[in-house]
Amino acid sequence: MTEAYVALEGGHVLEGRGRASGTARGEIVFTTAYTGYEESLTDPSYEEQILTFSYPLIGNYGVREERFEDDRVHPRAVLAKELTEDVVDWLASEDVPAVDHLDTREVVTDIRDGGAMKCGIAVGEDVTEEDALAELEQCKAMSDHTDIGAQVSVDESVVHGEANDGETVALIDCGAKGSIVDSLLERDATVHVFPYDATVADVEAVGPDVLFISNGPGDPVNFGQAISLVEAFVEDTPVAGICLGQQIVAEALGGSTEKMTFGHRGVNQPVLDLESGQVVMTTQNHGYTVAEPGEHLEVTQINVNDDTPEGIDGIEYDVITRQYHPEANPGPEDTLDFFDDVLAMASGRADAQAVPADD
Ligand SMILES: NC(=O)CC[C@H](N)C(=O)O
């Protein structure tokens, strides 16, 4: 049997069954999602993280590329109670270490108590506990990945849906999921995808109807150029954001963000809309949150479990952002109307008051 060791910050080492060999280090997190492993594993927001599935069986409906959110696997390693051959083959082909037959209840309990933490992993025929501890030793804190955007963004701008006659969206790719672009294209938008460090002049050149900041990995304060874009555009151009995008918008407009203990990762996070009183189910994957929205923004939706901000609107500016993933890949489709609201805001057809689906 291939050996597998998982070393957690503080020195706790767990043993499992090695399924795909290699060494890895990263911030260990868990998701409670029971489906959507292809989407999660290709979500760029998981860059530099090690993903633990708390659901015990992962891979039971195979692996299909059309469900991928990006062209590669982003977590540095994958842990589960039981991984199917399909998933293991896929991870092995991408050189991503995989471990199963692990007591994931123990891993999740450690993360819940200690927070998302540094982790080192060693999988292979002759690896030892020391190899995993050596990886842990070299693991950086997530906030120290100061140029993580470069690892996940497009290198050059690209345009999708040029023939569409809807709104023109400038999407700042901080690690955007493919289904965000798809959701906008389906609504007839033209989407200019820009690198995470695009300049004001780059974006201005396409005359956007809305500046849209994507999801992405790591600490929002490490996306200084995207923060500057929001500051530069917000007075004259509507602004939208998803997940990291919400955090960047808050940082730009006088609010603040902070790291959560273990974050929200799963496909059934309940969100309350404060105006309508409706609760919707959402897909989430984040470890930071908006702490204070600041004087230009108001919180319109909150997480039912812990009251953290899930939706934010501009007070005097046209701004709408979501902390969850309205594009719903994977996950419930309760929140797809966010894209209609963003494009209505972009066209001046509506103000920024977004409400969840009304059934
Ligand atoms: N999905 C995301 O955009 C994640 C945002 C950010 N990296 C966080 O962990 O909070």
Side-chain angles (χ1 to χ4, degrees):
M1 188 180 94
T2 309
E3 306 294 330
Y5 297 96
V6 177
L8 302 178
E9 197 171 346
H12 184 187
V13 182
L14 294 94
E15 238 182 295
R17 174 172 70 158
R19 301 299 305 278
S21 295
T23 53
R25 51 184 180 267
E27 177 185 66
I28 189 165
V29 296
F30 69 86
T31 177
T32 57
Y34 31 82
T35 57
Y37 47 88
E38 297 137 301
E39 293 89 333
S40 296
L41 292 173
T42 52
D43 178 346
S45 309
Y46 281 112
E47 184 82 1
E48 299 295 354
Q49 290 179 320
I50 288 172
L51 181 57
T52 311
F53 287 94
S54 68
Y55 187 74
L57 174 60
I58 293 299
N60 52 342
Y61 52 88
V63 174
R64 282 179 43 197
E65 265 182 48
E66 53 267 45
R67 290 194 283 256
F68 291 0
E69 288 293 319
D70 193 21
D71 58 8
R72 68 178 172 92
V73 171
H74 284 276
R76 290 278 172 262
V78 177
L79 312 179
K81 177 70 182 162
E82 188 81 39
L83 292 165
T84 65
E85 291 300 327
D86 287 336
V87 170
V88 168
D89 291 348
W90 176 35
L91 294 172
S93 74
E94 297 228 6
D95 290 325
V96 176
V99 181
D100 70 0
H101 287 195
L102 188 75
D103 188 348
T104 47
R105 294 165 302 183
E106 198 177 344
V107 176
V108 169
T109 308
D110 273 19
I111 299 170
R112 284 195 65 128
D113 293 346
M117 62 179 87
K118 294 177 188 172
C119 175
I121 288 191
V123 185
E125 293 298 335
D126 303 313
V127 299
T128 62
E129 203 172 307
E130 280 62 43
D131 296 323
L133 287 164
E135 283 295 316
L136 172 63
E137 187 70 30
Q138 292 180 63
C139 186
K140 288 206 273 189
M142 189 49 85
S143 56
D144 292 338
H145 288 282
T146 51
D147 198 22
I148 198 166
Q151 297 171 216
V152 291
S153 184
V154 289
D155 294 327
E156 299 198 344
S157 58
V158 21
V159 55
H160 300 278
E162 236 169 335
N164 290 353
D165 53 13
E167 278 61 55
T168 300
V169 179
L171 176 68
I172 308 305
D173 177 13
C174 302
K177 290 171 67 180
S179 54
I180 293 178
V181 176
D182 295 343
S183 300
L184 292 163
L185 292 176
E186 275 162 25
R187 290 166 174 78
D188 217 21
T190 298
V191 184
H192 294 265
V193 181
F194 286 97
Y196 76 112
D197 57 354
T199 64
V200 172
D202 294 335
V203 177
E204 246 166 18
V206 304
D209 296 315
V210 57
L211 176 73
F212 198 131
I213 314 292
S214 82
N215 66 293
D219 188 336
V221 302
N222 288 329
F223 287 82
Q225 186 55 29
I227 292 172
S228 306
L229 288 179
V230 176
E231 288 166 353
F233 278 90
V234 73
E235 287 197 17
D236 300 317
T237 306
V239 173
I242 290 178
C243 207
L244 182 80
Q246 166 158 304
Q247 300 161 5
I248 285 172
V249 168
E251 285 287 343
L253 300 182
S256 62
T257 57
E258 64 187 3
K259 190 148 197 219
M260 304 165 87
T261 308
F262 51 86
H264 299 152
R265 292 177 188 83
V267 294
N268 59 355
Q269 288 278 332
V271 167
L272 170 68
D273 185 89
L274 294 172
E275 200 190 343
S276 69
Q278 263 189 326
V279 172
V280 288
M281 280 297 156
T282 68
T283 285
Q284 303 208 9
N285 162 23
H286 66 109
Y288 291 83
T289 186
V290 172
E292 290 297 332
E295 60 181 327
H296 301 292
L297 299 172
E298 67 175 333
V299 175
T300 57
Q301 301 184 343
I302 59 170
N303 191 295
V304 173
N305 294 330
D306 62 10
D307 292 348
T308 51
E310 294 288 0
I312 286 181
D313 282 8
I315 294 172
E316 73 275 39
Y317 301 130
D318 280 345
V319 173
I320 42 175
T321 66
R322 295 293 178 258
Q323 185 57 65
Y324 50 86
H325 283 271
E327 73 282 358
N329 272 278
E333 300 189 344
D334 298 21
T335 54
L336 286 173
D337 59 350
F338 172 72
F339 294 96
D340 300 316
D341 295 332
V342 167
L343 295 174
M345 173 177 76
S347 72
R349 278 183 277 121
D351 65 19
Q353 301 301 313
V355 291
D358 52 16
D359 57 343

